[in-house]
Amino acid sequence: MPSGPSASADDANAGGLTAFRGEILDFIGDPATLGDAAHRHFPDGVLVVRDGRVAALGPAASTLSALPAGATVIDYRGKLILPGFVDTHVHFAQTDVIASYGAQLLEWLERYTFPAEARFADPGHAHEVAEFFIAELLRNGTTTAMVFATTHVSSVDAIFEAARVRAMRLIAGKVLMDRNVPETVRDTADSGFADSKALIGKWHGRDRLGYAVTPRFAPTSTERQLELCGRLLDEHPGVFLQSHVAENRGEVAWVAELFPWSRSYLDVYDHYGLLRERSVFAHCIHLDPTDRQRMAATGAAMSFCATSNLFLGSGLFDAKAAHEAGVRVGLGTDVGGGTSLSMLRTLDESYKVCQLAGQSLSPLRSFYLATLGGAAALYLDDRIGNFDVGREADFVVLDPGSTPLMARRMARAERLEERLFAFMILGDDRAVHATHILGTRAHVRDGT
Ligand SMILES: [Zn+2]
């Protein structure tokens, strides 16, 4: 194994101990709660990785001198090393309907989503899209995602297999829909239960993969199907749940018609025992204080999907109310309702949503939400999300010189917060120089 500061990033593949030198930032808590004590920043730092896990983190001067002779040092000076981004809500089967024009949620599902998802009955198609999607995640610096597949078992196999061969930590599940959808994407309460049970047995806990019971949303499941979702969670402790709630006013009104006994949309899920730890609900826009209290009390998390909420005209997420209620919040790209798989683009739009709501999303809190906050929303913050010793070494390397405009703005940015803000307002996949999974480089921009 070559050694010394000139070693290339690919040498990290050789295993053993590798040190990565550059500017390093991570979080140990929420800046909205802890202020400056929430982050750790090393202008010239070293992240030491052994067997895929963080072995040490510190300033270069002291950390390099403590390395054993001959240790490999990868030089990322001039770039910013962060924990890998966590996307808490995305649909891989909607990759091909991103940027589809002119509809709000319910019409958008009918016109674009269901026809696209019907194609996933073909395992070959599912495999091809899954491969493309995972490569895109890595190109955007996203190392963990919670992913909707489709109604078809083969779509779940495809996304898990694509993540498994890259050793990614990923959560996914088969969509459950037994009413109000075309037959091509419909299951039954019993077949959905049986398929989910078999998929849990096959994939949950295998390598770095986790299974999520995945009712699309209340309007497309019968009460019997929602009841069986609760049973799946009861029978399989540790399994996740993902769904949507309170995205669009028309959808909220439809739920009130379908479940006349419910106090609110969220209350439907609550009734079937679906609010719990490891449950993640996308959007959470049209909620009331009681709903937020229920989410906080049960440990369920919200996924804030800014680009999707703006694109579909759904509404403005209330980040302040969520924080004050003590609810876990992560960020979601929600492609294909969302318009980018880039967490930097998502942060840009999240900032604007908060501006429109009369709130401010600080640069530090933004990057917390994209990393440790997302990990905490998924109850994975004991494994990923920051660089504590023992954590899985998934990280992203950002390049402040990725475009002429960004380089120019960065040259005039003196403080860390200014540079983070320039990354999130001006950045996209071009700002991602490299992405590492368990220390190993899984993506480098332009293949250089
Ligand atoms: Zn969604």
Side-chain angles (χ1 to χ4, degrees):
M1 181 193 300
S3 65
S6 63
S8 91
D10 286 331
D11 297 327
N13 294 334
L17 189 148
T18 307
F20 299 89
R21 182 176 187 180
E23 182 176 3
I24 301 176
L25 172 69
D26 78 343
F27 296 86
I28 54 171
D30 186 345
T33 308
L34 300 180
D36 281 348
H39 73 278
R40 296 184 286 205
H41 179 223
F42 303 94
D44 182 9
V46 169
L47 175 69
V48 183
V49 177
R50 185 196 300 276
D51 298 329
R53 290 176 182 271
V54 176
L57 171 72
S62 55
T63 312
L64 285 175
S65 62
L67 289 177
T72 304
V73 180
I74 307 300
D75 192 350
Y76 279 139
R77 276 179 290 180
K79 298 184 173 64
L80 176 64
I81 302 173
L82 286 162
F85 297 135
V86 178
D87 185 344
T88 59
H89 182 74
V90 64
H91 303 252
F92 95 91
Q94 294 177 18
T95 302
D96 293 341
V97 293
I98 190 170
S100 292
Y101 172 76
Q104 292 216 344
L105 175 67
L106 300 176
E107 186 192 350
W108 197 85
L109 289 170
E110 288 287 339
R111 201 197 294 177
Y112 301 115
T113 304
F114 294 147
E117 292 192 3
R119 296 186 63 198
F120 285 73
D122 169 10
H125 178 68
H127 172 75
E128 190 273 327
V129 178
E131 286 290 317
F132 179 86
F133 173 83
I134 292 288
E136 279 294 297
L137 288 188
L138 294 171
R139 220 162 58 76
N140 283 290
T142 298
T143 51
T144 285
M146 188 178 215
V147 184
F148 271 59
T150 69
T151 322
H152 315 95
V153 168
S154 57
S155 71
V156 182
D157 288 335
I159 191 65
F160 275 137
E161 190 55 33
R164 192 189 66 80
V165 297
R166 291 166 180 82
M168 284 178 73
R169 183 165 285 291
L170 186 124
I171 300 162
K174 178 200 122 62
V175 171
L176 299 164
M177 298 194 282
D178 67 345
R179 67 166 166 172
N180 294 326
V181 293
E183 201 179 340
T184 48
V185 291
R186 200 186 312 148
D187 58 10
T188 68
D190 289 335
S191 74
F193 178 80
D195 287 345
S196 299
K197 210 170 168 54
L199 286 165
I200 291 167
K202 183 173 181 183
W203 293 107
H204 186 69
R206 182 173 172 189
D207 298 332
R208 302 180 76 200
L209 306 174
Y211 192 84
V213 174
T214 308
R216 172 170 236 112
F217 66 158
T220 51
S221 286
T222 58
E223 304 212 16
R224 166 84 177 146
Q225 185 159 62
L226 293 171
E227 197 182 299
L228 288 174
C229 288
R231 198 164 126 197
L232 284 167
L233 297 175
D234 288 341
E235 288 179 3
H236 304 278
V239 160
F240 300 81
L241 177 125
Q242 58 182 344
S243 193
H244 301 88
V245 71
E247 175 177 6
N248 167 290
R249 292 197 185 280
E251 169 209 18
V252 173
W254 192 19
V255 171
E257 275 172 36
L258 291 169
F259 302 90
W261 48 262
S262 62
R263 191 200 69 80
S264 68
Y265 187 164
L266 187 81
D267 185 47
V268 174
Y269 298 127
D270 202 1
H271 179 82
Y272 293 104
L274 306 187
L275 301 189
R276 52 177 87 191
E277 295 183 359
R278 295 181 188 78
S279 293
V280 179
F281 292 89
H283 310 305
C284 300
I285 295 172
H286 309 289
L287 297 182
D288 65 18
T290 305
D291 292 328
R292 292 189 187 90
Q293 281 163 16
R294 281 303 295 157
M295 293 193 76
T298 55
M302 299 177 175
S303 181
F304 172 17
C305 303
T307 76
S308 171
N309 297 159
L310 292 174
F311 180 73
L312 293 174
S314 301
L316 304 176
F317 178 76
D318 192 336
K320 184 164 174 277
H323 177 67
E324 286 175 357
V327 186
R328 292 172 186 240
V329 176
L331 302 175
T333 61
D334 194 28
V335 165
T339 53
S340 174
L341 286 166
S342 164
M343 196 51 72
L344 297 175
R345 303 305 318 125
T346 303
L347 288 177
D348 175 30
E349 302 287 288
S350 302
Y351 177 78
K352 294 170 187 170
V353 165
C354 290
Q355 286 284 81
L356 284 168
Q359 303 173 13
S360 185
L361 185 59
S362 76
L364 282 167
R365 183 146 205 258
S366 298
F367 281 84
Y368 159 78
L369 291 173
T371 58
L372 185 63
L378 301 178
Y379 288 80
L380 292 174
D381 49 323
D382 58 340
R383 300 176 192 191
I384 57 168
N386 71 10
F387 296 137
D388 279 355
V389 170
R391 294 286 188 273
E392 297 162 355
D394 294 344
F395 59 92
V396 58
V397 183
L398 297 184
D399 176 8
S402 64
T403 66
L405 182 61
M406 182 186 281
R408 188 177 174 93
R409 181 63 186 88
M410 289 288 185
R412 286 156 184 77
E414 288 169 11
R415 297 164 52 238
L416 169 67
E417 286 89 336
E418 285 180 82
R419 284 181 291 118
L420 291 176
F421 197 56
F423 269 126
M424 65 188 252
I425 301 301
L426 301 176
D428 54 30
D429 54 300
R430 292 170 293 179
V432 175
H433 171 75
T435 306
H436 287 249
I437 298 289
L438 296 177
T440 298
R441 198 170 68 177
H443 163 75
V444 63
R445 195 184 60 207
D446 302 329
T448 54

